[in-house]
Amino acid sequence: MAVPRLGSVLLCKRIFSSSLRANRSQHQHGLATSSKLMDMFFTKKHEWVLVEGTKGTIGVSAYAADALGDVVYAQLPDPGDSVEVGEECGALESVKAASEIYSPVSGTVAEKNEKVEDGPALINQSPQVEGWLFRVDLADPGQVSELMNTADYENYLKECEEH
């Protein structure tokens, strides 16, 4: 029983690493001399927020997508809705389970990913790039200091697999 779990974890790690590389390369554009504030942060419930100045793009990690299995339904907050850090703001349903979405930051929803609502399998295919869930105007960009950066999240996943 431990071998399939280890295989799943290793696959997830490979998916997570390749998603991060793809995500970074997709968002790095413009002149090499221009700098853009852009960092990804994670919650212990496996949501992420990609911060670009005072805007945040929110989704679920590759680890969460893998754990959920094939996502068949996504309920996302609507533009104009207020979301609060740590509060439920949507739901994902898969063939294995249903899971609430918790916002990693507070703000006002600026956009939701209608492609994900129309085809929720996109979350499994590209959880940290094309499978983002919604975008917000951040109420307090400093809230991300309470979240894990990419390196801390990778360490957190290692700790989780040890238990």
Side-chain angles (χ1 to χ4, degrees):
M1 203 71 172
V3 173
R5 182 167 183 239
L6 178 60
S8 177
V9 169
L10 293 174
L11 175 63
C12 179
K13 183 177 178 183
R14 188 172 63 228
I15 291 169
F16 175 73
S17 296
S18 64
S19 292
L20 283 179
R21 283 191 298 275
N23 192 29
R24 286 185 185 133
S25 65
Q26 178 187 9
H27 287 90
Q28 292 176 347
H29 48 79
L31 299 175
T33 58
S34 67
S35 71
K36 183 177 186 180
L37 176 62
M38 185 178 68
D39 292 305
M40 187 174 275
F41 300 92
F42 297 84
T43 69
K44 288 187 175 187
K45 293 183 180 181
H46 309 288
E47 286 91 7
W48 56 263
V49 58
L50 177 67
V51 177
E52 299 178 75
T54 60
K55 308 280 186 198
T57 301
I58 295 163
V60 296
S61 70
Y63 180 88
D66 184 55
L68 275 171
D70 295 334
V71 178
V72 295
Y73 175 76
Q75 176 191 351
L76 306 176
D78 291 313
D81 287 354
S82 290
V83 293
E84 295 295 324
V85 65
E87 296 295 316
E88 182 181 332
C89 60
L92 299 176
E93 292 181 15
S94 73
V95 294
K96 290 183 185 178
S99 179
E100 289 78 24
I101 302 166
Y102 297 93
S103 183
V105 291
S106 297
T108 303
V109 177
E111 179 184 3
K112 67 179 177 177
N113 190 345
E114 292 183 11
K115 289 181 182 177
V116 162
E117 281 191 327
D118 294 341
L122 190 57
I123 295 169
N124 298 104
Q125 296 162 1
S126 182
Q128 292 175 225
V129 182
E130 294 176 28
W132 59 272
L133 303 177
F134 58 97
R135 293 191 167 119
V136 297
D137 294 319
L138 300 171
D140 178 7
Q143 287 177 328
V144 297
S145 66
E146 301 297 316
L147 302 174
M148 294 177 277
N149 63 29
T150 301
D152 291 340
Y153 183 66
E154 288 173 349
N155 288 332
Y156 175 71
L157 290 178
K158 287 176 188 173
E159 290 173 17
C160 290
E161 74 182 43
E162 291 172 2
H163 293 95

